[in-house]
């Protein structure tokens, strides 16, 4: 069911909605939203529940832990509530009378996944605030967001969401309409004194709001770059005539970007008509800057990634996601396709949109290759199994994660690149053609791995079953070097940085070297290092006629200063307040890849999509 095509229709539908939420900022200092849920026609034993996860973020987050003070009434009569499990409640109702539930939600997660409220900003996803009404999730839902009072010394707030406004004031507060619970859950709300800008991409209205921006923020640059990205992706999926007479019809008629700029943070969560983003303020484009911050390229890649999801996962999606089960994990082996392939195209489409050049793109893909090659877990778990285990491995990372699993984002992106370069080498099509064929064949709906195999065969003119088996379902290395070479990219082996050489991931702060991860098969593991060790110093072996030397280290690169040509040392580490002496030998021959364009014409042909 789609959104109503006019404000009048939206108002009529919202008025007729049997499910109505009223959201208020109850106490901004206490970070509390107040929610009133009215069910016009409740069942005799009405059940309601709060989701345990939000689609796009594959972890059971137990949103019900933030819900408090739930009570129920019919008319003036208080109704008893029975809690059935961690997120489900049942109310015994009198037939024919509306049921009113009131509760509060503590909103203290300043991420894109849940809800946040303080004196400066409010944000929420429906999965965090809106109880699901059992047996009525497919009916129309109305949600009213009430404007908070203007606090002394603070600006007046505005409100934005991608839902269709039924009765909304100039600041965006009022009643919105959702076709069903899924649409409500998939439409976050942003509130506050944010910056707002608008543009059209291929004739479709887009809005971009930014919370937390500083005075140096170059809004015109952000809008121009985002417009270019959006139009490039629209044409990728629907051809050059999109937005013109006779062109393909887009699956959406409006879109909203919501960006929260903070001191330290990064991430995004896709939705069908919008996306919620978070970045550091330093990564925003800067007014008057001759060279934009390096992090701005990362931000553009994030915008590209989440917008690509508008097609690839929000509409065309795994068959297991045809209908979300909000009460439990929803497993699929296809995240390598929906997240990994999106990760391949996010930066590639920046290049095609003219936002980065060939050299920048090669640096980005080079970084991805080295990230995968420096993950021992790639030899332990296939990218298909990593997709299935996202709930317990990727989203619950610890000191052993790199040794036991591989990212379906990064390796999935490399799998996509291997398919694209293979198809291009064989001369019958490209991965672009495969993606568009999948979209057409699925009608923008659920697909299975067999559909991917059929699309590859249809475009490439042969079966790619062996490649799928090897690249997706095994732990074999990908044939990256040969495929890149065939497209004008040479690979060089550069000496690894010291931490990589030793098989360590560390943090270096306040003069302390803290071991975060000890990688499988590395020199540090052989020496006996463990995660959470503090590496304090080194001793050099006694040499004839010389006293033992011991040195305090504050960063890994200190080793070059104190070791000189020596390869052997005793590492002094603190573990659980015990000092340990670990015999450590520097390895030889540990390298990383460096890519460069050897045949610029071949490389440009690939990167521009020609």
């Amino acid at each position: 069911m789609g959104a109503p095509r006019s404000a009048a229709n939206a108002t009529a539908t919202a008025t007729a909605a049997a499910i109505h939420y009223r959201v208020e900022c109850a106490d901004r200092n206490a970070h509390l939203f107040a929610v009133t849920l009215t069910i016009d026609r409740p069942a005799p034993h009405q059940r309601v529940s709060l989701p345990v996860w939000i689609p796009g973020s594959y972890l059971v987050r137990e949103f019900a832990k933030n819900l408090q003070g739930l009570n129920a009434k019919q008319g003036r009569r208080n109704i008893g509530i029975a809690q059935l499990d961690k997120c489900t409640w049942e109310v015994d109702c009198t037939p024919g009378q509306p049921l009113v539930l009131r509760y509060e939600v503590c909103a203290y997660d300043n991420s894109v996944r849940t809800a946040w409220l303080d004196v400066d900003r409010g944000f929420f996803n429906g999965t965090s605030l809106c109880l699901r009404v059992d047996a009525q999730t497919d009916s129309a839902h109305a949600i009213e967001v009430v404007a908070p009072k203007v606090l002394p010394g603070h600006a007046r707030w505005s409100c934005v969401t991608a839902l269709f406004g039924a009765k909304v004031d100039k600041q965006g507060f009022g009643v919105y309409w959702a076709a069903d619970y899924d649409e409500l859950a998939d439409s976050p709300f942003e509130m506050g004194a944010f910056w707002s800008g608008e543009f059209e991409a291929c004739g479709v209205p887009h809005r971009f709001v930014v919370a937390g921006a500083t005075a140096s923020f170059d809004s015109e640059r952000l809008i121009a770059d985002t417009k270019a990205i959006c139009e490039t992706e629209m044409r990728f999926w629907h051809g050059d005539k999109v937005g013109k007479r006779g062109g393909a019809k887009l699956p959406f008629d409006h879109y909203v970007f919501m960006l929260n700029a903070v001191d330290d943070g990064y991430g995004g969560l896709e939705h069908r008509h919008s996306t919620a983003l978070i970045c550091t303020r330093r990564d925003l484009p800067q007014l008057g800057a001759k060279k934009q911050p390096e992090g701005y390229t990362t931000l553009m890649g994030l915008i590209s990634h989440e917008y690509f999801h508008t097609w690839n996962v929000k509409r065309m999606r795994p068959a297991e996601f045809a209908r979300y089960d909000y009460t439990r994990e929803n497993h699929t082996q296809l995240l390598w396709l929906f997240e990994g392939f999106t990760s391949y195209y996010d930066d590639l489409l920046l290049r095609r949109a003219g936002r980065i050049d060939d050299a920048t793109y090669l640096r980005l893909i080079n970084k991805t290759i080295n990230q995968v090659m420096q993950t021992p877990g790639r030899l332990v778990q296939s990218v298909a199994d990593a997709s299935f285990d996202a709930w317990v491995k990727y989203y619950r990372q610890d000191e052993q994660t790199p040794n036991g699993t591989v990212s379906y984002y990064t390796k999935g992106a490399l799998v996509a690149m291997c398919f694209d370069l293979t198809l291009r080498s064989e001369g019958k099509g490209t991965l672009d053609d495969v993606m568009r064929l999948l979209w057409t064949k699925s009608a923008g709906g659920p697909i299975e791995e067999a559909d991917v195999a059929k699309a590859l065969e249809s475009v490439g003119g042969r079966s790619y079953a062996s490649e799928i088996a090897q690249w997706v379902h095994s732990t074999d290395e990908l044939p990256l070097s040969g495929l890149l070479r065939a497209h004008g990219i040479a690979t060089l082996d550069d000496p690894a940085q010291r931490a990589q050489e030793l098989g360590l991931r560390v943090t270096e702060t306040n003069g302390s070297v803290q071991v975060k991860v000890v990688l499988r098969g590395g020199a540090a593991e052989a020496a006996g290092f463990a995660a959470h060790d503090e590496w304090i110093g080194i001793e050099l072996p006694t040499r004839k006629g010389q006293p033992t030397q011991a040195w305090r280290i504050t960063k890994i690169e200190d080793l070059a200063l104190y070791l000189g040509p020596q390869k052997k040392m005793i590492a002094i580490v603190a573990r659980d307040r015990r000092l340990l002496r670990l015999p450590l030998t520097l390895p030889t021959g540990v390298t990383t890849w460096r890519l460069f364009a050897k045949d610029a014409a071949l490389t440009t042909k690939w990167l521009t999509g020609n």
Side-chain angles (χ1 to χ4, degrees):
M1 184 175 182
R5 311 318 302 171
S6 70
N9 287 341
T11 302
T13 308
T15 302
I19 310 297
H20 187 282
Y21 303 85
R22 179 181 171 89
V23 176
E24 302 172 84
C25 300
D27 190 332
R28 282 175 273 183
N29 288 328
H31 315 285
L32 289 175
F33 282 109
V35 183
T36 303
L37 166 59
T38 302
I39 307 169
D40 284 351
R41 296 179 291 276
H45 306 286
Q46 183 62 63
R47 291 188 178 186
V48 294
S49 62
L50 199 66
V52 303
W53 70 291
I54 182 169
S57 185
Y58 306 108
L59 177 67
V60 171
R61 298 185 184 276
E62 312 293 16
F63 297 131
K65 68 184 179 183
N66 298 315
L67 188 150
Q68 61 188 45
L70 178 63
N71 64 79
K73 282 189 174 184
Q74 282 191 296
R76 296 181 179 181
R77 185 168 60 93
N78 291 323
I79 306 294
I81 301 173
Q83 185 163 0
L84 304 183
D85 57 33
K86 64 183 180 180
C87 63
T88 307
W89 295 262
E90 185 174 271
V91 186
D92 289 337
C93 299
T94 300
Q97 293 185 26
L99 171 65
V100 179
L101 299 173
R102 292 186 174 88
Y103 54 94
E104 293 179 330
V105 173
C106 185
Y108 204 62
D109 181 353
N110 196 19
S111 75
V112 298
R113 299 178 297 266
T114 53
W116 171 266
L117 181 65
D118 68 2
V119 295
D120 293 316
R121 176 177 176 262
F123 173 83
F124 68 88
N125 289 286
T127 46
S128 290
L129 262 64
C130 299
L131 288 167
R132 297 175 69 246
V133 180
D134 190 48
Q136 298 193 48
T137 56
D138 290 336
S139 63
H141 288 52
I143 180 168
E144 179 185 5
V145 182
V146 179
K149 293 181 179 179
V150 179
L151 298 177
H154 288 75
R156 187 179 186 183
W157 280 18
S158 296
C159 176
V160 66
T161 181
L163 288 177
F164 206 101
K167 188 178 181 182
V168 179
D169 66 20
K170 292 182 179 179
Q171 276 65 50
F173 289 99
V175 180
Y176 289 88
W177 177 90
D180 50 30
Y181 185 85
D182 282 345
E183 185 176 28
L184 177 67
D186 204 27
S187 303
F189 284 76
E190 175 77 31
M191 296 179 288
F194 46 72
W195 172 88
S196 177
E198 298 179 353
F199 64 93
E200 283 195 356
C202 296
V204 176
H206 288 61
R207 186 176 181 186
F208 207 128
V209 302
V210 181
T214 63
S216 63
F217 165 50
D218 188 345
S219 59
E220 291 185 6
R221 174 69 182 267
L222 180 67
I223 290 295
D225 289 339
T226 303
K227 175 183 172 72
I229 292 167
C230 292
E231 290 187 337
T232 299
E233 297 195 1
M234 288 174 165
R235 291 170 183 140
F236 172 90
W237 287 103
H238 302 290
D240 290 340
K241 291 187 68 177
V242 65
K244 301 176 182 177
R245 180 176 295 180
K249 182 177 174 59
L250 285 160
F252 55 95
D253 59 8
H254 66 286
Y255 196 89
V256 180
F257 291 94
M258 306 173 195
L259 174 59
N260 183 24
V262 297
D263 181 62
D264 185 21
Y266 173 81
L269 189 60
E270 68 276 1
H271 302 281
R272 66 181 75 178
H273 295 97
S274 62
T275 186
L277 310 165
I278 188 168
C279 75
T280 68
R281 296 184 185 96
R282 293 176 296 277
D283 291 344
L284 291 172
Q286 304 296 306
L287 286 168
K290 292 182 179 179
K291 184 179 181 182
Q292 293 298 336
E294 185 174 340
Y296 182 51
T297 298
T298 304
L299 174 58
M300 286 194 294
L302 178 65
I303 291 169
S304 178
H305 184 99
E306 303 305 337
Y307 197 70
F308 197 83
H309 273 319
T310 307
W311 293 267
N312 194 41
V313 90
K314 292 314 301 181
R315 290 172 173 83
M316 188 170 72
R317 59 197 182 277
E320 295 88 347
F321 292 175
R323 191 67 187 262
Y324 295 123
D325 183 345
Y326 293 97
T327 68
R328 55 184 289 275
E329 297 91 339
N330 290 213
H331 292 284
T332 177
Q333 283 198 324
L334 285 177
L335 294 182
W336 58 269
L337 172 69
F338 290 98
E339 292 291 356
F341 280 36
T342 300
S343 296
Y344 172 61
Y345 277 110
D346 54 19
D347 290 333
L348 184 59
L349 292 176
L350 287 186
R351 170 63 188 88
R352 295 186 189 173
R355 303 302 102 179
I356 60 175
D357 57 19
D358 289 359
T360 301
Y361 178 77
L362 290 181
R363 284 198 299 272
L364 293 170
I365 199 68
N366 199 153
K367 181 180 178 181
T368 299
I369 290 172
N370 283 330
Q371 284 177 337
V372 173
M373 297 299 289
Q374 292 158 14
T375 302
R378 77 186 191 282
L379 304 175
V380 176
Q381 188 179 50
S382 72
V383 73
D385 289 341
S387 299
F388 193 88
D389 282 342
W391 301 85
V392 295
K393 292 194 175 182
Y394 185 82
Y395 275 87
R396 289 180 176 170
Q397 297 197 16
D398 58 26
E399 58 274 4
Q400 286 304 311
T401 297
N403 294 323
T405 189
V406 68
S407 167
Y408 49 80
Y409 285 92
T410 52
K411 186 175 180 181
L414 298 184
V415 169
M417 186 174 73
C418 286
F419 276 120
D420 196 13
L421 298 185
T422 297
L423 287 163
R424 289 176 182 275
S425 294
E426 294 173 356
K428 294 187 177 180
T430 70
L431 190 61
D432 303 3
D433 301 319
V434 173
M435 299 302 288
R436 287 190 284 265
L437 181 60
L438 281 169
W439 174 263
T440 302
K441 291 290 187 181
S442 69
I447 64 172
E448 299 177 343
E449 185 180 296
D451 298 308
V452 181
K454 289 178 183 177
L456 284 165
E457 184 171 354
S458 178
V459 170
R462 67 170 180 86
S463 170
Y464 290 83
S466 61
E467 285 85 355
I468 292 173
Q470 182 180 358
W471 301 346
V472 175
H473 291 283
S474 86
T475 58
D476 293 348
E477 298 283 25
L478 298 174
L480 297 168
S481 181
L483 288 171
L484 287 167
R485 188 165 53 251
H487 289 80
I489 308 296
T491 61
L492 294 176
D493 289 330
D494 280 348
Q497 294 182 350
R498 188 68 75 184
Q500 297 167 353
E501 180 184 46
L502 293 171
L504 287 175
R505 294 182 183 175
V506 302
T507 58
E508 300 171 337
T509 55
N510 300 321
S512 175
V513 180
Q514 298 287 337
V515 176
K516 307 302 290 184
V517 173
V518 180
L519 296 175
R520 188 64 37 80
E525 183 185 61
F529 277 79
H532 312 299
D533 285 351
E534 180 185 6
W535 192 351
I536 297 172
I538 61 170
E539 289 180 2
L540 302 185
T542 302
R543 302 174 71 179
K544 187 175 182 180
Q546 293 183 355
T548 300
Q549 291 187 353
W551 298 96
R552 177 83 163 88
I553 66 170
T554 58
K555 53 184 182 295
I556 290 287
E557 294 307 319
D558 287 345
L559 296 179
L561 174 64
Y562 299 128
L563 282 176
Q566 297 187 65
K567 297 292 184 182
K568 296 181 181 295
M569 74 196 87
I570 300 296
I572 303 170
V573 304
R575 182 184 304 163
D576 193 26
R577 296 194 177 274
R578 293 182 300 146
L579 294 181
L580 304 177
R581 301 172 72 251
L582 308 177
L584 177 64
T585 301
L586 293 181
T588 58
V590 181
T591 60
T592 60
W593 281 23
R594 177 161 55 90
L595 307 182
F596 70 95
K598 191 173 182 179
D599 186 331
L602 267 179
T603 301
T604 299
K605 184 176 180 181
W606 160 38
L607 298 185
T608 57
N610 295 322

